[in-house]
């Protein structure tokens, strides 16, 4: 059984719903973990119209987030957030499995 304990904060859901509403067709945000980056793995965010058979779909406050089963293994217990800071705003993954991350926050290792 796959641990599906990946969550989306209200701030992230609100921003995803807003961005998706700007698209011509209905879209869902995909959160994926890819090899690479300065720490071994990196997060990738994209909008997609279709879901895959192995995707976990998380729906919250009008937003839909997709996570494939391979990425979900590396994201167990994580939370997707949208943070607005003085230097800018961004989606961030708070990942308890990451043993280290780089300064940009988009790359991590386990």
């Amino acid at each position: 059984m796959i641990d599906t304990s990946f969550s989306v904060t209200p701030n992230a859901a609100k921003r995803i719903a807003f961005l998706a509403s700007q698209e011509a067709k209905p879209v869902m945000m995909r959160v994926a973990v890819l090899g690479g980056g300065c720490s071994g793995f990196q997060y990738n965010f994209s909008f997609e119209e279709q879901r895959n058979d192995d995707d976990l779909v998380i729906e919250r406050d009008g937003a839909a987030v997709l996570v494939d089963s391979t990425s979900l293994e590396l994201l167990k217990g994580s939370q997707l957030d949208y943070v607005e800071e003085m230097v800018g705003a961004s989606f961030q993954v708070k990942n308890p499995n990451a043993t280290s991350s780089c300064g940009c926050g988009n790359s991590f290792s386990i």
Side-chain angles (χ1 to χ4, degrees), residues 23-105:
E23 298 292 320
K25 296 180 180 178
V27 293
M28 299 165 276
M29 177 181 252
R30 176 171 298 284
V31 178
V33 176
L34 306 175
C38 43
S39 294
F41 294 103
Q42 63 185 358
Y43 302 113
N44 185 58
F45 307 107
S46 61
F47 281 104
E48 298 189 6
E49 295 176 27
Q50 301 290 324
R51 65 173 285 203
N52 298 325
D53 290 339
D54 71 334
D55 285 339
L56 168 69
V57 179
I58 302 163
E59 295 181 332
R60 179 174 190 157
D61 302 330
V65 176
L66 305 173
V67 183
D68 66 87
S69 60
T70 302
S71 295
L72 193 58
E73 282 297 311
L74 298 167
L75 293 170
K76 281 189 257 187
S78 298
Q79 183 177 60
L80 176 65
D81 196 8
Y82 182 73
V83 179
E84 296 181 61
E85 299 169 328
M86 289 188 60
V87 294
S90 63
F91 287 102
Q92 296 179 0
V93 176
K94 294 179 173 49
N95 189 341
N97 306 306
T99 56
S100 65
S101 63
C102 66
C104 66

